[in-house]
Amino acid sequence: MAANTRPALFWHLRIALLETRFQFLSSLRLPAFAIPTLLFPVFFYLFFAVVFQSGGPSLAAPTYMLATYGVFGVLGPSIFGFGVGLAQERDTGALLLKRTTPMPAGAFLFARVATAAIFGAVVIGALFLLAGFAAGVELHRSQWFSLAGIILAAVLPFSAIGLAIGAWAKQQAAVAVVNLVFIGMSLISGLWVPIDMLPNVMQDIAIVFPAFHLGQLTLKVIDLDLGRPIWFHLVLLGGQTAVCLVAAALGFRRFSGR
Amino acid sequence: MDPTPPAAASETGPPLASLSGVSHRYGDVLALDRLDLEVRKGEVLAVLGPNGAGKTTAVSLLLGTLTLQSGAARVFGSVPDAAEVRRRRGAMLQVSGVPETLTVAEHLALFRAYYAAPLPTARLLEMAGLQELRDRRFGKLSGGQKQRVMFALALAGDPELVFLDEPTAGLDLDGRRRLWDEIRGIKAAGRTAVLTTHYLEEADALADRIVVIHRGRLIAAGSPEEIKSRTAGRVVRCVTSIGLETVRAFPETASAETRGQHFEIVTGAPEALLRRMFQLDSGLSDLTVVGVGLEEAFLALTGDGADPEGGA
């Protein structure tokens, strides 16, 4: 234990990468996970932003949807991977078994965040290609990079939501709760339909959802947001993520006190 | 505790793992009641008891997956969830499995990576009889095959101490025998193993030493022969008009149960018992006398075989 730290660091890194590899493979082989998370956002974008808008008067809609469907694209893998996947591993006992091994808990969490990020990156890539080549969206290079960065960073707050659900809900319930959050939060936060087209009440409610703030941050890149300052979104997003992490910690404590 | 046979004194230095005066509650239910348990180097120890006896609770405390409430738990001289302990210990839990979309070989690769000096994959596959199944996904395996994977995962790190919590639960006879053969290999390799089971037959077949737990308390400890000899005797089975309490009060009766309209009486002196019974009930009928089976011996030890599922 008091050994030199370099091998320990390598060991942690190696396990984190191996966990990620198998977590990714396992998710990819699960059609119920891979198909909706990869295809939903891409098909939605193809349908609403490319097919529906082709020959339309403005590029505002396809650009707007690129920002919001990108956020939607990482929401799926993040909350399904953590919410359903973790509840499942807890219910089957796989998580308990791993707790008896020397596996570092950090590697386990890293693997799930990284897997969500890989799936998210694939979705972003597909959306960017569709946007650039099929929908004719034109942005500065810095805007493309900003969009990609914000969307990828969204994996963290969304994973925190999934972690909280996975820590509390049983497997079957987790599927229902995650779907509700996935669809409900996306809709109310303006990821599918521009938020200023929604009733005012819903715009007020949206403030409690991380997806709303991430949507606003990506929209700010292309100047189509509602105009609130960046710090406003960041502070609320940070607070909401902290609440989710505390809820997750409480859930896991209850589980080990069994 | 009282049931301390002469052999219980420490034979080869300090125990590898121990519980001392451990009590554990789930709400109002007392699952363990001042339990003492020692695991000695090189032995296969069977923790035997009916469902709900507290076996899994005891193992969970030694694995550190459950928080200790009172008493002391030590493994390799440390607390059970110390990093050092995890590296030297393996476990097969009562769990339904690992992710179904990964193959046997992939699961083994992952678990092997957790340890500094894991067993080679080929050796693990061989020890668990999984050579032909290495590329099969976990979800496509039968119940017995899944248990063998969990067994291989428990051995991945070449552990000195292995915990097997009801390893054959839910397996058919054939699957159980196969896993037994593989568990015997653990001892042959010089490892120490703790096995929980509610089959006396299994404990008898695999263990060097058996401790019997019932309602969270240690009620017997000794070699399989000692445990069996404590209940050596016969089972008298018959239909009689004598009351159960009367039969239980006979000095010859070790234990007595009703099975349908039959009485089943475990006794060390069947002749004397039957003389007494025929005096009270000359109409006694449908009589058989057989050697005590392992399950009867176990029921006699726990003292309330009529209620194996009940209690805490």
Side-chain angles (χ1 to χ4, degrees):
Chain A
M1 296 229 258
N4 42 0
T5 53
R6 264 191 62 200
L9 191 69
F10 277 123
W11 177 76
H12 276 260
L13 199 63
R14 183 167 159 246
I15 294 186
L17 292 178
L18 209 59
E19 287 278 348
T20 305
R21 181 178 147 207
F22 287 126
Q23 183 60 48
F24 177 72
L25 269 180
S26 171
S27 307
L28 198 62
R29 289 173 190 166
L30 203 66
F33 175 83
I35 291 177
T37 54
L38 289 177
L39 296 188
F40 270 20
V42 175
F43 272 129
F44 278 16
Y45 190 76
L46 189 66
F47 191 69
F48 291 113
V50 181
V51 178
F52 238 50
Q53 306 283 336
S54 72
S58 117
L59 281 174
T63 312
Y64 186 102
M65 288 182 197
L66 176 64
T68 56
Y69 281 27
V71 174
F72 176 64
V74 294
L75 174 61
S78 305
I79 62 170
F80 276 99
F82 267 103
V84 179
L86 204 61
Q88 188 171 16
E89 291 210 7
R90 196 199 48 212
D91 285 2
T92 59
L95 199 58
L96 196 67
L97 180 65
K98 288 202 168 181
R99 277 181 50 198
T100 71
T101 72
M103 180 200 71
F108 184 79
L109 292 176
F110 175 88
R112 290 197 173 267
V113 175
T115 300
I118 295 171
F119 273 91
V122 172
V123 173
I124 295 169
L127 288 179
F128 278 20
L129 288 175
L130 278 176
F133 293 106
V137 170
E138 283 176 13
L139 295 172
H140 289 299
R141 186 182 295 180
S142 66
Q143 286 177 307
W144 288 111
F145 278 113
S146 301
L147 276 184
I150 296 169
I151 294 170
L152 265 187
V155 167
L156 291 172
F158 288 157
S159 293
I161 300 177
L163 196 62
I165 297 172
W168 281 95
K170 285 207 170 284
Q171 187 180 337
Q172 293 306 321
V175 175
V177 174
V178 164
N179 269 305
L180 193 70
V181 172
F182 184 50
I183 293 167
M185 184 169 76
S186 302
L187 182 65
I188 297 177
S189 301
L191 297 188
W192 289 354
V193 181
I195 191 145
D196 39 13
M197 291 169 63
L198 296 175
N200 283 337
V201 192
M202 282 168 92
Q203 292 188 40
D204 293 339
I205 297 174
I207 287 185
V208 303
F209 293 120
F212 166 74
H213 300 292
L214 286 155
Q216 290 299 306
L217 288 172
T218 50
L219 287 170
K220 197 173 268 303
V221 172
I222 49 175
D223 258 339
L224 290 171
D225 65 317
L226 293 174
R228 288 198 182 87
I230 291 179
W231 65 261
F232 171 82
H233 297 300
L234 288 181
V235 166
L236 283 175
L237 200 53
Q240 286 154 359
T241 302
V243 167
C244 289
L245 291 177
V246 169
L250 290 176
F252 279 113
R253 181 176 302 177
R254 183 192 58 141
F255 162 60
S256 50
R258 199 166 61 104
Chain B
M1 301 245 88
D2 47 332
T4 310
S10 179
E11 286 169 347
T12 50
L16 277 197
S18 64
L19 293 177
S20 316
V22 166
S23 298
H24 199 90
R25 279 183 179 282
Y26 302 106
D28 289 339
V29 180
L30 187 61
L32 291 181
D33 187 4
R34 287 159 291 152
L35 182 72
D36 291 311
L37 195 71
E38 269 191 17
V39 185
R40 299 179 204 140
K41 192 169 168 50
E43 74 175 351
V44 175
L45 173 70
V47 179
L48 179 66
N51 291 331
K55 305 183 296 287
T56 296
T57 303
V59 166
S60 301
L61 289 168
L62 284 171
L63 288 171
T65 53
L66 204 56
T67 308
L68 194 66
Q69 291 174 348
S70 73
R74 308 296 284 179
V75 182
F76 300 124
S78 302
V79 291
D81 64 347
E84 171 69 12
V85 172
R86 293 178 197 216
R87 285 195 277 269
R88 298 167 63 186
R89 179 190 62 192
M92 182 175 170
L93 308 179
Q94 281 188 66
V95 299
S96 46
V98 283
E100 305 212 323
T101 42
L102 293 179
T103 67
V104 172
E106 286 165 346
H107 280 301
L108 286 177
L110 190 56
F111 271 67
R112 287 179 71 251
Y114 299 153
Y115 303 92
L119 287 176
T121 305
R123 174 116 176 75
L124 288 170
L125 291 170
E126 182 206 321
M127 286 174 83
L130 292 167
Q131 293 97 327
E132 265 105 75
L133 300 170
R134 59 168 295 153
D135 294 319
R136 180 123 7 134
R137 289 188 190 178
F138 187 79
K140 305 263 184 210
L141 299 175
S142 73
Q145 291 166 341
K146 284 182 177 173
Q147 287 294 87
R148 299 214 302 274
V149 173
M150 303 312 281
F151 178 75
L153 294 179
L155 295 179
D158 194 12
E160 295 162 55
L161 174 62
V162 190
F163 287 88
L164 306 166
D165 193 8
E166 308 229 356
T168 61
L171 296 191
D172 59 19
L173 197 64
D174 186 51
R176 200 187 300 171
R177 302 262 171 204
R178 275 203 77 160
L179 199 57
W180 283 7
D181 286 340
E182 277 127 26
I183 292 170
R184 286 194 185 97
I186 292 186
K187 185 172 162 57
R191 277 176 257 269
T192 306
V194 178
L195 162 87
T196 71
T197 179
H198 54 262
Y199 302 114
L200 179 53
E201 188 195 1
E202 185 162 292
D204 183 35
L206 299 173
D208 301 310
R209 203 160 60 89
I210 299 176
V211 294
V212 184
I213 295 185
H214 186 54
R215 299 202 167 159
R217 307 185 76 137
L218 188 71
I219 58 166
S223 68
E225 286 68 32
E226 284 170 317
I227 298 291
K228 280 188 291 180
S229 72
R230 293 176 76 159
T231 53
R234 304 267 158 181
V235 179
V236 171
R237 191 178 149 88
C238 62
V239 176
T240 174
S241 60
I242 307 171
L244 183 63
E245 290 313 313
T246 312
V247 172
R248 280 183 171 157
F250 292 156
E252 294 86 3
T253 303
S255 70
E257 311 297 337
T258 51
R259 291 273 160 95
Q261 53 176 350
H262 287 83
F263 275 26
E264 286 188 4
I265 309 156
V266 179
T267 174
E271 297 83 359
L273 175 79
L274 282 169
R275 257 194 301 279
R276 196 189 289 275
M277 290 180 76
F278 275 115
Q279 272 170 14
L280 289 175
D281 176 19
S282 58
L284 187 147
S285 62
D286 205 6
L287 171 68
T288 54
V289 181
V290 294
V292 73
L294 295 167
E295 295 305 318
E296 284 83 3
F298 176 45
L299 295 182
L301 273 173
T302 57
D304 69 350
D307 178 29
E309 303 289 326

